[in-house]
Amino acid sequence: MLRAITFNIGPIDSKLGGVLVMFGAIIVLFFLPWLDTSKVRSAVYRPWYKLFFWIFVANAIMLGWLGAQPAEGIYVVLSQLGTLYYFGFFIVLMPLLGLIETPKRIPNSITEAVLEKKNAKLAKA
């Protein structure tokens, strides 16, 4: 993310912008409880959230790999896109998915969820 900022924004040069983005990436994690607007917190019952979460994991791995590459050519563009998705996931996708996603039915208790899985396995056998 440090290398993703290659442009000046007003009086903020690109080096300071990269440092601000780096700290912003950490600070956004502190606001995570308020950014997730869904009543269901488990990704097991939220299929769209699960999809975007795994894309986020792949993006984080890609950003780590890009950090080891030289800051030139396609690597800069990919790091900019990865940084955009990183912040977009937390600031746009999480609040929006919480409002529009319809989660699967939540079991009344843990035992109900476990027994449903056990009965499904027995029915297949």
Side-chain angles (χ1 to χ4, degrees), residues 53-74:
F53 172 76
W54 285 112
I55 293 171
F56 175 79
V57 169
N59 183 53
I61 292 169
M62 181 186 76
L63 282 172
W65 176 75
L66 287 169
Q69 303 306 314
E72 58 189 25
I74 191 71

Side-chain angles (χ1 to χ4, degrees), residues 17-91:
V19 172
L20 292 175
V21 165
M22 180 188 67
F23 284 117
I26 296 168
I27 290 171
V28 75
L29 297 174
F30 288 106
F31 294 102
L32 200 55
W34 297 281
L35 293 173
D36 189 7
T37 58
S38 177
K39 300 220 183 306
V40 178
R41 296 292 183 186
S42 176
V44 173
Y45 305 105
R46 299 175 60 196
W48 282 105
Y49 175 78
K50 190 186 303 187
L51 171 71
F52 287 116
F53 172 76
W54 285 112
I55 293 171
F56 175 79
V57 169
N59 183 53
I61 292 169
M62 181 186 76
L63 282 172
W65 176 75
L66 287 169
Q69 303 306 314
E72 58 189 25
I74 191 71
Y75 300 128
V76 174
V77 175
L78 289 175
S79 65
Q80 289 172 341
L81 291 173
T83 301
L84 183 68
Y85 185 79
Y86 181 91
F87 285 104
F89 177 77
F90 289 116
I91 297 172

Side-chain angles (χ1 to χ4, degrees), residues 44-45 105-121:
V44 173
Y45 305 105
R105 188 187 76 79
I106 302 170
N108 295 325
S109 68
I110 289 180
T111 56
E112 183 181 324
V114 171
L115 291 177
E116 282 179 6
K117 289 180 184 177
K118 188 174 183 180
N119 290 337
K121 285 183 183 178

